[in-house]
Amino acid sequence: MSVPRYWREIPSRYRLIGSKCVNCGKTYFPPRRVCRECGSVSLEEVKLSEQGRIITWATVYDPPRGFEKYVPYIVAIVELDDGTRIMTQITDCEPDEIHVGTRVYAVFRKIREEGESGIIYYGYKFKPLK
Ligand SMILES: [Zn+2]
């Protein structure tokens, strides 16, 4: 991911803002400019639910560049209470603590550091409700 793209995404990453299609109601995170369902370009910003449940998940042992020191970590598809499905990292738990349907909530965490530049990325991860 290039730095300029990261900076453009900062507002939504900090506030868990997605976009909602005015035409069909589908919501997206990260926000999109064009609806994948109906092709409409009328999308508006919406504040997304900060709680949801795990739809599916996987433990990552062979990560993309920049994530090597975090393995193993858990990546999941979470369906928020407003129906938005997002791909996110699950934090503060062991793989055997979660299953399909586990309730999770959003927490703001460091996502990764870039080795040479020292840039630290922050964003949302999700954590099981205990
Ligand atoms: Zn649409």
CSV table of all heavy atoms in Angstrom, one decimal, residues 21 23-26 35 37-40, ligand 1:
chain,number,residue,atom,x,y,z
A,21,CYS,N,-24.7,2.9,-0.1
A,21,CYS,CA,-25.3,3.2,-1.4
A,21,CYS,C,-26.6,3.8,-1.2
A,21,CYS,O,-27.5,3.2,-0.5
A,21,CYS,CB,-25.4,1.9,-2.2
A,21,CYS,SG,-26.2,2.2,-3.8
A,23,ASN,N,-28.8,4.2,-3.4
A,23,ASN,CA,-29.8,3.5,-4.3
A,23,ASN,C,-30.2,2.2,-3.7
A,23,ASN,O,-31.4,1.9,-3.5
A,23,ASN,CB,-29.1,3.3,-5.6
A,23,ASN,CG,-30.1,2.6,-6.6
A,23,ASN,OD1,-31.2,3.0,-6.7
A,23,ASN,ND2,-29.6,1.6,-7.3
A,24,CYS,N,-29.3,1.3,-3.2
A,24,CYS,CA,-29.7,0.0,-2.8
A,24,CYS,C,-29.5,-0.3,-1.3
A,24,CYS,O,-29.9,-1.3,-0.8
A,24,CYS,CB,-29.0,-1.1,-3.6
A,24,CYS,SG,-27.3,-1.4,-3.3
A,25,GLY,N,-28.7,0.6,-0.6
A,25,GLY,CA,-28.6,0.5,0.8
A,25,GLY,C,-27.4,-0.4,1.3
A,25,GLY,O,-27.1,-0.5,2.5
A,26,LYS,N,-26.6,-0.9,0.3
A,26,LYS,CA,-25.5,-1.7,0.7
A,26,LYS,C,-24.4,-0.9,1.3
A,26,LYS,O,-24.1,0.3,0.8
A,26,LYS,CB,-24.9,-2.4,-0.6
A,26,LYS,CG,-23.7,-3.2,-0.5
A,26,LYS,CD,-24.0,-4.7,-0.2
A,26,LYS,CE,-22.7,-5.5,-0.1
A,26,LYS,NZ,-22.9,-6.8,0.6
A,35,CYS,N,-20.9,1.5,-6.1
A,35,CYS,CA,-21.5,0.3,-5.4
A,35,CYS,C,-21.3,-0.9,-6.3
A,35,CYS,O,-21.5,-0.9,-7.4
A,35,CYS,CB,-23.0,0.6,-5.3
A,35,CYS,SG,-23.9,-0.8,-4.5
A,37,GLU,N,-22.9,-3.7,-5.9
A,37,GLU,CA,-24.1,-4.4,-6.1
A,37,GLU,C,-24.9,-3.9,-7.3
A,37,GLU,O,-25.4,-4.6,-8.1
A,37,GLU,CB,-25.0,-4.3,-4.8
A,37,GLU,CG,-24.5,-5.0,-3.6
A,37,GLU,CD,-24.6,-6.5,-3.8
A,37,GLU,OE1,-25.7,-7.0,-4.3
A,37,GLU,OE2,-23.6,-7.2,-3.5
A,38,CYS,N,-25.0,-2.5,-7.3
A,38,CYS,CA,-25.9,-1.9,-8.3
A,38,CYS,C,-25.2,-1.0,-9.3
A,38,CYS,O,-25.8,-0.5,-10.2
A,38,CYS,CB,-27.1,-1.3,-7.6
A,38,CYS,SG,-26.7,0.3,-6.8
A,39,GLY,N,-23.9,-0.7,-9.0
A,39,GLY,CA,-23.2,0.2,-9.9
A,39,GLY,C,-23.4,1.7,-9.7
A,39,GLY,O,-22.9,2.5,-10.4
A,40,SER,N,-24.3,2.0,-8.7
A,40,SER,CA,-24.5,3.4,-8.4
A,40,SER,C,-23.3,4.2,-7.9
A,40,SER,O,-22.4,3.6,-7.3
A,40,SER,CB,-25.6,3.5,-7.3
A,40,SER,OG,-25.7,4.9,-6.9
B,1,ZN,ZN,-26.1,0.0,-4.6
